[in-house]
Amino acid sequence: RFLAWMGLEISTMAIIPLMTQQHHPRAEEAATKYFLTQATAAAMILFASLTNAWLTGEWNISQISHPLSVTLTILALALKIGLAPMHFWLPEVLQGLNLTTGLILSTWQKLAPFALIYQIAPNTNQTLLITLGIMSALIGGWGGLNQTQLRKILAYSSIAHLGWMIIILHFLPNLTLLNLTLYILMTSTMFLSFKLSMATKVNSLATTWSKTPPLAALTMLSLLSLGGLPPLTGFMPKWLILQELTKQNLPITATIMAMTALLSLFFYLR
C-alpha cells in the first residue's frame, strides 16, 4: 500500500512541470488545482491504508478487506481519475493545459489509479461502483451539452467513459480493460488530430474541412466513435457492457446507461 501511494505521488509530481512549462496564469492555476486534488486523494489513500492496517493488520493491497478502508480507497482513487461526484477539477484543469499535456493527463495519468482500482474491485461494494458509474455517465453526458471548448468536451467525455468502465468492473474486469484500451486509443486520436489542426474551439473545427479534408473526416469519425455510434469501434464496449448488465439482472441500470450514451452522442453529433 505504501509503495502504491508513493508511485501515485511520483506520477503527480512528474506531470506538474509539464503543466507549468507555459508561464501562463491559466496553466499555473490548472497545475495548482491538479496538485491540491491529487495531494488530497493521496492523503486519503494513505489514511485508508493505515486504517486497514490498524483494523486487520494487513498492508497488502490485494488483501484489503475492511469495508471502511475499501470504500475510502475507491473514493480516493475516484478523486484521482475524476469520477463523478469528485469530477469538478477535471474540466477546469484540462482547459488550462495545452493539447499535448492534456493528452498525457487524459490517458497515461489514468493508468496507475486504474491498476489499483482493478485490484481492489473484487472486494468493493457493488452498489458503490454502480452509483459512481451512473453518476459519472450522467454528468459526463450533461456537462458536455453546453460546451464550446474542445478540451472541456473531452474532459466530460473522459468522465462519461470512466463511468462505463467502473460500472462493469465488479462483474467483468476484462471488459473494463477493453474499454480503457479503446478509450485511450480514441482519445489519443482526438487530441493529436486537434493538435494537427490547431483547434481548441468547436467553431475552429469548421474551417479544417477547407484546409485538410482527410484530417477533418478522421476527426469526425473519431468523435463519433468516442460517442459510441454503431458501427464504429466505440460502440463495441458499450454494447458488451449493456449486455453484461442485462445478464446480471440489472435492466434498469442498463437502460439508464444507454440513455446517458445518447446524451454524449448528441453533443458529439453537434
Side-chain angles (χ1 to χ4, degrees), residues 4-257:
W5 168 78
M6 205 158 65
L8 290 170
E9 282 291 87
I10 292 167
S11 168
T12 303
M13 290 300 173
I15 199 174
I16 284 175
L18 289 174
M19 289 179 164
T20 52
Q21 64 186 351
Q22 295 174 317
H23 295 294
H24 190 276
R26 198 147 226 202
E28 284 164 14
E29 183 193 345
T32 310
K33 281 177 179 172
Y34 182 74
F35 173 73
L36 291 172
T37 313
Q38 299 297 310
T40 308
M44 275 175 74
I45 289 168
L46 206 52
F47 176 65
S49 308
L50 287 166
T51 311
N52 195 61
W54 181 271
L55 295 168
T56 64
E58 185 57 68
W59 277 99
N60 193 334
I61 206 154
S62 54
Q63 302 294 321
I64 181 170
S65 55
H66 198 276
L68 176 65
S69 309
V70 176
T71 308
L72 264 176
T73 311
I74 285 288
L75 290 175
L77 291 166
L79 178 60
K80 260 200 175 299
I81 56 177
L83 267 170
M86 284 79 76
H87 67 285
F88 295 103
W89 62 273
L90 185 58
E92 298 298 321
V93 168
L94 205 56
Q95 184 54 37
L97 305 177
N98 63 20
L99 289 167
T100 315
T101 317
L103 167 63
I104 298 168
L105 182 70
S106 300
T107 55
W108 179 255
Q109 289 295 105
K110 292 199 183 345
L111 293 179
F114 234 97
L116 297 178
I117 291 175
Y118 186 84
Q119 290 178 59
I120 296 165
N123 305 325
T124 313
N125 181 358
Q126 179 184 318
T127 317
L128 174 67
L129 291 179
I130 289 174
T131 309
L132 285 173
I134 290 175
M135 283 185 76
S136 298
L138 273 169
I139 287 168
W142 261 322
L145 285 177
N146 60 346
Q147 298 299 334
T148 56
Q149 296 284 349
L150 294 175
R151 282 166 293 184
K152 276 198 173 175
I153 287 179
L154 284 170
Y156 282 110
S157 144
S158 166
I159 295 164
H161 276 85
L162 287 169
W164 281 88
M165 289 175 218
I166 215 84
I167 201 161
I168 202 67
L169 190 55
H170 194 84
F171 308 112
L172 211 61
N174 290 347
L175 205 44
T176 298
L177 292 182
L178 170 73
N179 202 336
L180 181 63
T181 312
L182 288 175
Y183 164 74
I184 287 174
L185 195 70
M186 292 184 295
T187 303
S188 306
T189 310
M190 285 320 313
F191 270 104
L192 294 171
S193 56
F194 289 158
K195 193 174 163 57
L196 272 173
S197 56
M198 291 187 290
T200 52
K201 285 193 173 74
V202 170
N203 56 8
S204 58
L205 276 183
T207 57
T208 54
W209 184 256
S210 53
K211 288 190 232 163
T212 48
L215 184 63
L218 177 72
T219 307
M220 188 190 76
L221 283 171
S222 307
L223 265 174
L224 293 179
S225 183
L226 203 56
L229 185 77
L232 300 166
T233 318
F235 173 62
M236 179 178 63
K238 287 187 167 66
W239 181 30
L240 292 170
I241 288 170
L242 289 174
Q243 189 182 8
E244 185 59 32
L245 285 173
T246 316
K247 277 186 194 167
Q248 297 287 344
N249 288 330
L250 294 165
I252 296 167
T253 308
T255 311
I256 295 169
M257 291 304 281

